[in-house]
Amino acid sequence: MLAGTLVVLAGCQPKNRIVRGEYRTIVDMAGRTLEIPSEIDAIFSGRHPIHALYAFDTIITVNNVFRYTETEKKYLKRSFYEGKPYALEDASEEIIRLAPDIVLFSDFLTPDNIERADELQKKVQIPVVLMDNDILNYKQTLAFLGGLLHKEEKAAELINFVETYVDPIPEKARNIPDGKKKRIYYAEGMKGLNTDPSGSMHSLMIDLAGGVNVAQTDLLPGKGMTGVSLEQIYRWNPDLILVWSGNFDGMDSYREIRTSPPWRHLEAVKKNAVYQVPWRPFGWIDRPPGMNRLIGIVWLANLLYPDVFQNDMNVVTKEFFRKFYHYDMTDGEVQEILDTQPNI
């Protein structure tokens, strides 16, 4: 395993082609040649790469991309969010004002996204480094970022987590017989009446973990969340409901589905197969679609098919939080965060 990790690191870190004083020339993950400072001390981050950046360095970002609740802040270093303005990658004037060494932009490496990165770089006159946000390529992304920040050893540690717990999931999931695959409704919005069908990056973890997404509806771009009716959900008749409640402690969607009379005759509700997706400090299977999903896909696979995926989630959760969030969890915190059917 170690040899494979070293190959990934060598092949995917930024390529040092030319060194000019305190600058170096790299090739980002989209094949764009950029000249950046040799040592990077300040990064303006987009939403998607923020989790990977935090895993490597809790101070280096100059902006916030989320507004955190107190229960989310509990698991994050203050140096990560205090005294930093809320600003996203389209805020070119704010980028110029904050004057970072680079802007880090992460998405699927499509021509449109490459063009967006090029246009932003022209506006701000600061290197915009583009990384791949495809979860199937996260090992390469971690290796690239480790090389960018001169933290190859940390990259190897994070990649080892992916190889140990995440890599086996898609292959095992493909071998689950169709007749035994769980049919899932992914409930979003404050009333549970929004969803994302198969093929959406927001519901991708369901596909990768071997679930069958019952939603037969339009695939919306961007943030997704197609509106559906309760009558449609009854017709789909899912085996299980996964609930995203907006990363809020009130768990509005979960509460609505578990207690509202219109939902009570749905088979999944009657069978108590309704689960609140963990969200602290970031959503575990979505919202945002970043490296926070690495723990989420392990959790989801174990939830759906405990006979196939037999990871000890207490152990895996502690390891993930220690390596990616720099936080040593207590047993009580693990139990709380893994309580996906809380009393309401």
Side-chain angles (χ1 to χ4, degrees), residues 1-2 22 51 78 90 138 141 172 180 189 194 201 206 217 240-241 262 271 279 293 306 339:
M1 182 177 295
L2 179 59
E22 297 181 358
H51 319 93
R78 288 187 176 183
D90 56 355
Y138 273 176
T141 299
K172 286 185 177 181
K180 293 187 177 181
N194 296 86
M201 67 176 176
I206 295 173
T217 186
L240 181 147
I241 300 175
K271 294 178 179 178
W279 74 92
R293 297 177 296 175
D339 181 9

Side-chain angles (χ1 to χ4, degrees), residues 119-331:
E119 289 178 353
L120 180 60
Q121 183 167 293
K122 289 177 183 177
K123 285 182 181 179
V124 300
Q125 294 297 299
I126 295 169
V128 176
V129 179
L130 185 54
M131 298 195 310
D132 194 349
N133 194 43
D134 186 340
I135 191 172
L136 299 178
N137 297 328
Y138 273 176
K139 288 187 293 185
Q140 292 91 328
T141 299
L142 289 166
F144 174 85
L145 190 52
L148 190 76
L149 300 177
H150 305 301
K151 294 188 176 185
E152 291 84 357
E153 186 174 342
K154 179 64 177 180
E157 176 186 79
L158 301 177
I159 289 168
N160 178 260
F161 181 93
V162 179
E163 290 178 332
T164 303
Y165 299 112
V166 179
D167 281 357
I169 292 175
E171 182 176 353
K172 286 185 177 181
R174 283 192 292 270
N175 292 325
I176 297 171
D178 289 343
K180 293 187 177 181
K181 289 188 175 181
K182 297 290 181 65
R183 301 175 66 257
I184 298 164
Y185 174 66
Y186 180 37
E188 302 174 283
M190 293 299 98
K191 298 289 185 179
L193 295 178
N194 296 86
T195 194
D196 283 285
S198 180
S200 168
M201 67 176 176
H202 299 293
S203 60
L204 178 61
M205 298 305 98
I206 295 173
D207 299 334
L208 293 179
V212 176
N213 190 331
V214 299
Q216 299 172 25
T217 186
D218 293 335
L219 175 60
L220 296 182
K223 294 183 179 180
M225 296 184 67
T226 304
V228 298
S229 68
L230 190 53
E231 289 76 14
Q232 283 180 304
I233 300 170
Y234 269 93
R235 287 195 295 270
W236 291 333
N237 193 28
D239 301 319
L240 181 147
I241 300 175
L242 292 176
V243 187
W244 177 76
S245 295
N247 291 20
F248 298 127
D249 292 341
M251 296 181 290
D252 291 2
S253 294
Y254 179 79
R255 185 182 303 274
E256 175 77 12
I257 294 169
R258 289 292 302 273
T259 64
S260 176
W263 288 85
R264 67 175 53 162
H265 298 296
L266 195 64
E267 284 299 312
V269 177
K270 289 195 292 185
K271 294 178 179 178
N272 196 32
V274 180
Y275 299 90
Q276 168 66 46
V277 175
W279 74 92
R280 302 183 184 107
F282 304 103
W284 279 31
I285 66 170
D286 184 31
R287 313 290 175 190
M291 289 202 180
N292 45 306
R293 297 177 296 175
L294 292 173
I295 182 63
I297 190 172
V298 182
W299 165 78
L300 182 57
N302 277 261
L303 173 70
L304 298 180
Y305 308 109
D307 293 336
V308 177
F309 303 100
Q310 298 179 343
N311 292 303
D312 184 333
M313 285 308 301
N314 292 314
V315 172
V316 179
T317 301
K318 283 185 177 182
E319 183 176 343
F320 181 83
F321 271 66
R322 184 176 66 253
K323 290 181 175 179
F324 283 80
Y325 295 153
H326 315 280
Y327 189 90
D328 290 318
M329 301 188 81
T330 66
D331 290 335

